Amino acid sequence: MLCFFRAFLFEIFKIIDLLNKNLATKIVSLHFCKFMSQIEEYIEVKGARVHNLKNIDVSIPREKLVVITGLSGSGKSSLAFDTIYAEGQRRYIETFSAYARQFLGGLERPDVDKIDGLSPVIAIEQKTTSKSPRSTVGTITEIYDFLRLLFARASDAYSYNTGEKMVSYSDALIKELIISDFKGKRINILAPVVRSRKGHYRELFEQIAKQGFVKVRTDGEIIDLTKGMKLDRYKNHDIEIVIDRLVIEDTTDNDKRLTETINTAMYHGEDVLMVIDQDTKETRYFSRNLMCPSSGISYPNPEPNNFSFNSPKGACPNCNGIGTLYQVNEKKIIPDNTISIKNGALVPHGPEKNSWIFKQFDIIAQRFNFKLSDPYKDIPEEAKHMILYGGNEKFSIESKTLGVTRDYKIDFEGVANFIENQYKTADSTSLKRWAKDYMDKIICPECEGSRLKKESLYFKVNDKNISDLANTDISELADWFNNLNQHLSEKQLLIAEEIIKEIKTRLKFLLDVGLDYLALNRSSKSLSGGEAQRIRLATQIGSQLVGVLYILDEPSIGLHQRDNHRLIE
C-alpha cells in the first residue's frame, strides 16, 4: 500500500514540473514572437558601402510606400538596386539547388554589413520590355492568352464564304440525317480530296485507282478513272472520290453498308463527305469538324494556338504573324526615269561597269531593241518588267554585217526580286539593311494587319473576333467584358465564367495604373519607358503574389514629383 502511494505522488510531481516547463516555454515563445514581429516591421540595412554610400544605416518600414529622394549621385539607386535588390535576389537564388544555380550564375554579395527583414525582391525599371515585333501589350500582360482560351472554348464559328454559322456532326448523326433526308432516293457519297487548286493530278488519279476506286467527280462531273488520266494544270479544279452509289432503304444490310461508306468517306476526305442526290443533283456536306452547311468548307476544331500569331497554327502565312510586310518600291529603285541605265537609273547598281549584271542588261537591250544609253522612260514596258522581275528566254539575232546568227539566253532574276530575296534570306545584317532601303513597310494585304489566319477571324464572341478585341482601347474593352455575361448562352457562360473573371481582373489593374488608352495589340517596341514600367507593375500585381518587395525606378504613377526619386513598395 505504501509503495502504491509513493508511486502516485511521484507521478503528480512529474506533471507539475512538466506544466511549469511548458509555461516557461510559452513565455519565452511570446517574447520571441514579439521581438521577431518588431524586426519584421522594418528592413534593417547596416553599413551599406556600395558606390557613393558611406557606411549608411537605414530602417525602411515594410508594407509601406517609401520614396527615396536626393540629388543626382547621392546614392539612391545604389541603396535601392545595388544593395537591397541585389541582396534580395542573391538570397533567393541561394535557395535553389546547386544544379539550378549553375545555369543562373553566381551573384556577388553587395558591400553591406547586414540586411534583416528582407523579402523576395522584384525590380521594375523604366525601360522597353521587349524589342521583338511579336511582343504586344496583350502578350506581356497575358490577357491575350486568356482571350485565346476564351475563343477556343466559348466562341461561335462562321463561314468566311457565306457567313453562316458552322456546324459539326457525329458519325451516328450523319447517318440519321442521310437516312431521313434521302430515304428512297439514289445517292452518291463522295470524299473531297482537292478544292480549287491548280495541277494535272495524274499521280493522284493513279493513287486513287490503286486503292480500288473506279469513279471520281472532277469539276462537277462524275467520270470513270482511266490510265494516264490528267487535267489541265493551269486551271483550278475540284476533285472528289466516288466512295459509293446506293439507294437509302430501311434494311439491316443497307444500314451496315451506309456505316462503312461514311467511315471510308471520312477517312479519305479528311473528316468531310459529300452526298449528292442522283436525280435532283442536290448536294449536302457533312463533317466531324466545324463545317459550312452550304459551301462545305471546314475549320479544324479550335484550340488556343489557332488564335496565336506566334504559332504556325494561327499565324497569317503571308506575313508570318507580324502583320506588316516589306515590299519593293520601284520608285526607290528608279527615282529618276529620265536617266539611262548606263548613267545609273537603277540606283542599286549605279552607273555602267564591267560586271555580269550589266552584261545581262545589254542582252535584254538587244532582245527588246533599245540601248542602255536611252532614258529609262523610253524603254519598252516588257523590257522594264524583265529588268525588275526577271525572265528566262532564248532568242537569236542575225548580224547583217557579218551575215551570221548568234544565239542568246536570258536567265535573269530581276533587280526587284534580288532585293526582296536578299532581305528575306541574307545572313548579313548589312545586306538586309541595304535591301530595306529600297522597300516600303506596308500592312499585310491578306490579314489586313490582324496577324491571324482567315479562319481564326471568323470565330466570334458576341459578334466580335479576337482581332476586334485586341484593337479596342482597354477602357472600352473593360466595359465590353462587364456587359458580356448577358450576351452569352447558358453553356458558354458556364465554360467562360472563370476566364472572363481573370480577364476583367487584369484589365482593372491596367486601368488602375492609368493605361486605359492603350490597346492589347500595341507593340511593346512603341511603348515609352513609363508605359512599359506600369505594364510590368500591373502584370506583377496580377500574379497575386504576397509579401513581395517591389522596387520601382523613377515611377510615373500617382506621384507629383517625377524626377530624381526611387520607390520601394
Side-chain angles (χ1 to χ4, degrees):
M1 187 71 177
L2 185 61
C3 292
F4 174 77
F5 183 70
R6 285 177 179 173
F8 177 72
L9 287 176
F10 180 73
E11 290 297 327
I12 290 175
F13 287 135
K14 274 179 61 178
I15 292 171
I16 292 173
D17 185 54
L18 186 62
L19 287 173
N20 288 334
K21 287 182 178 178
N22 287 340
L23 182 61
T25 302
K26 287 181 179 178
I27 293 172
V28 171
S29 298
L30 185 62
H31 283 288
F32 179 75
C33 290
K34 186 177 180 181
F35 172 72
M36 289 302 294
S37 65
Q38 289 175 349
I39 291 177
E40 290 177 357
E41 289 179 0
Y42 294 91
I43 300 171
E44 299 283 352
V45 180
K46 302 291 185 181
R49 294 177 296 275
V50 177
H51 301 317
N52 292 342
L53 299 177
K54 305 299 183 184
N55 207 27
I56 296 295
D57 297 342
V58 62
S59 295
I60 300 172
R62 293 173 56 82
E63 299 183 5
K64 301 289 183 182
L65 191 65
V66 180
V67 179
I68 303 175
T69 64
L71 298 173
S72 179
S74 59
K76 303 183 297 297
S77 295
S78 298
L79 176 61
F81 288 96
D82 300 327
T83 304
I84 297 174
Y85 171 68
E87 179 65 7
Q89 190 180 42
R90 187 187 70 83
R91 291 184 187 181
Y92 176 64
I93 290 176
E94 279 187 349
T95 63
F96 294 173
S97 67
Y99 177 76
R101 290 202 303 271
Q102 71 176 333
F103 299 106
L104 297 173
L107 293 177
E108 187 177 346
R109 188 181 186 281
D111 190 6
V112 61
D113 291 340
K114 184 174 69 169
I115 301 180
D116 290 327
L118 197 57
S119 301
V121 186
I122 293 175
I124 302 176
E125 300 180 75
Q126 269 204 25
K127 62 179 181 180
T128 305
T129 51
S130 173
K131 294 185 178 181
S132 169
R134 298 184 177 276
S135 179
T136 64
V137 172
T139 59
I140 296 168
T141 58
E142 298 181 357
I143 295 175
Y144 193 81
D145 296 334
F146 286 100
L147 280 180
R148 294 194 292 117
L149 186 60
L150 174 67
F151 276 83
R153 298 292 178 261
S155 63
D156 295 318
Y158 296 87
S159 169
Y160 57 74
N161 276 349
T162 63
E164 296 179 69
K165 193 171 182 178
M166 306 286 273
V167 295
S168 62
Y169 303 104
S170 64
D171 287 6
L173 183 58
I174 291 172
K175 186 170 74 172
E176 289 178 15
L177 290 171
I178 292 175
I179 291 172
S180 62
D181 295 347
F182 296 95
K183 188 174 181 180
K185 298 180 180 179
R186 294 181 60 84
I187 63 169
N188 295 320
I189 296 181
L190 304 91
V193 289
V194 174
R195 289 185 181 179
S196 298
R197 294 205 311 265
K198 294 179 180 179
H200 57 70
Y201 296 109
R202 182 174 57 193
E203 293 82 4
L204 176 62
F205 291 134
E206 291 176 357
Q207 184 181 358
I208 294 171
K210 287 178 182 178
Q211 292 171 343
F213 300 107
V214 295
K215 291 181 179 292
V216 292
R217 182 174 180 260
T218 61
D219 302 328
E221 182 182 358
I222 295 177
I223 57 177
D224 293 325
L225 282 169
T226 57
K227 190 174 182 180
M229 176 178 170
K230 61 180 180 178
L231 303 176
D232 187 340
R233 66 180 302 176
Y234 299 107
K235 293 183 179 179
N236 288 324
H237 301 289
D238 295 319
I239 302 173
E240 298 92 21
I241 305 172
V242 179
I243 303 297
D244 201 357
R245 310 174 78 180
L246 68 161
V247 179
I248 302 300
E249 298 173 342
D250 287 333
T251 63
T252 304
D253 291 341
N254 189 273
D255 184 80
K256 183 179 179 181
R257 178 178 173 182
L258 181 58
T259 301
E260 293 176 352
T261 300
I262 290 172
N263 287 333
T264 306
M266 287 291 185
Y267 174 77
H268 291 282
E270 296 183 351
D271 294 336
V272 179
L273 65 81
M274 293 172 58
V275 178
I276 300 178
D277 188 320
Q278 195 163 324
D279 298 323
T280 64
K281 305 303 179 184
E282 177 191 355
T283 302
R284 289 278 302 278
Y285 291 90
F286 299 94
S287 174
R288 292 171 180 163
N289 297 327
L290 292 167
M291 178 202 68
C292 174
S294 298
S295 63
I297 63 169
S298 64
Y299 300 161
N301 290 323
E303 301 174 3
N305 281 347
N306 293 123
F307 304 96
S308 172
F309 45 80
N310 292 324
S311 168
K313 289 186 176 181
C316 168
N318 192 39
C319 64
N320 294 322
I322 301 297
T324 57
L325 293 171
Y326 278 94
Q327 187 179 67
V328 174
N329 186 343
E330 292 184 15
K331 291 184 178 180
K332 289 185 177 181
I333 297 174
I334 311 148
D336 186 357
N337 62 4
T338 61
I339 301 174
S340 66
I341 294 176
K342 184 175 182 179
N343 292 328
L346 299 170
V347 174
H349 299 290
E352 184 179 20
K353 56 183 73 73
N354 186 19
S355 63
W356 176 86
I357 190 75
F358 277 93
K359 290 179 181 178
Q360 290 293 312
F361 292 153
D362 187 55
I363 294 173
I364 294 171
Q366 293 184 57
R367 167 66 179 85
F368 293 100
N369 196 26
F370 70 93
K371 297 178 181 179
L372 297 184
S373 57
D374 294 340
Y376 187 84
K377 64 179 182 179
D378 297 334
I379 294 175
E381 290 299 323
E382 291 182 353
K384 290 179 181 178
H385 187 272
M386 184 171 285
I387 289 169
L388 289 175
Y389 301 103
N392 196 330
E393 187 177 342
K394 293 181 179 179
F395 64 96
S396 301
I397 295 178
E398 183 178 354
S399 175
K400 296 180 180 179
T401 56
L402 300 177
V404 295
T405 301
R406 298 187 63 179
D407 295 329
Y408 294 92
K409 179 181 179 181
I410 299 174
D411 187 5
F412 186 52
E413 183 180 17
V415 176
N417 288 344
F418 175 76
I419 291 171
E420 186 174 352
N421 290 335
Q422 288 299 310
Y423 176 75
K424 290 180 178 179
T425 62
D427 296 328
S428 169
T429 306
S430 58
L431 270 178
K432 285 182 178 289
R433 195 181 301 115
W434 169 83
K436 196 184 289 187
D437 290 340
Y438 304 102
M439 305 177 83
D440 289 335
K441 189 176 183 179
I442 62 168
I443 294 175
C444 174
E446 188 166 320
C447 67
E448 297 180 346
S450 69
R451 304 180 174 211
L452 297 170
K453 288 182 177 177
K454 179 168 58 176
E455 295 88 343
S456 302
L457 299 175
Y458 283 84
F459 286 85
K460 298 184 179 181
V461 175
N462 190 19
D463 297 327
K464 296 278 189 180
N465 63 38
I466 194 169
S467 180
D468 294 334
L469 298 184
N471 284 306
T472 304
D473 289 349
I474 287 172
S475 58
E476 296 178 19
L477 188 61
D479 292 338
W480 188 85
F481 271 102
N482 288 333
N483 300 320
L484 179 60
N485 288 1
Q486 58 189 350
H487 298 287
L488 297 179
S489 66
E490 186 176 345
K491 181 181 178 182
Q492 287 176 320
L493 190 58
L494 183 64
I495 295 171
E497 185 176 7
E498 291 300 321
I499 303 172
I500 294 171
K501 181 180 177 182
E502 184 66 32
I503 292 173
K504 288 165 68 174
T505 302
R506 290 174 181 262
L507 288 174
K508 185 178 182 302
F509 291 141
L510 289 174
L511 292 174
D512 289 342
V513 296
L515 295 176
D516 54 302
Y517 57 90
L518 291 182
L520 295 182
N521 72 336
R522 173 80 174 266
S523 173
S524 64
K525 293 171 64 177
S526 65
L527 296 173
S528 68
E531 287 172 336
Q533 184 185 38
R534 284 182 279 171
I535 286 173
R536 281 197 298 275
L537 179 61
T539 305
Q540 289 296 331
I541 296 172
S543 66
Q544 299 179 357
L545 293 172
V546 177
V548 178
L549 177 67
Y550 293 100
I551 301 182
L552 277 67
D553 179 21
E554 295 184 357
S556 56
I557 43 175
L559 297 176
H560 299 294
Q561 273 189 317
R562 294 188 55 182
D563 297 328
N564 293 325
H565 60 255
R566 300 290 187 270
L567 175 68
I568 300 181
E569 182 181 280

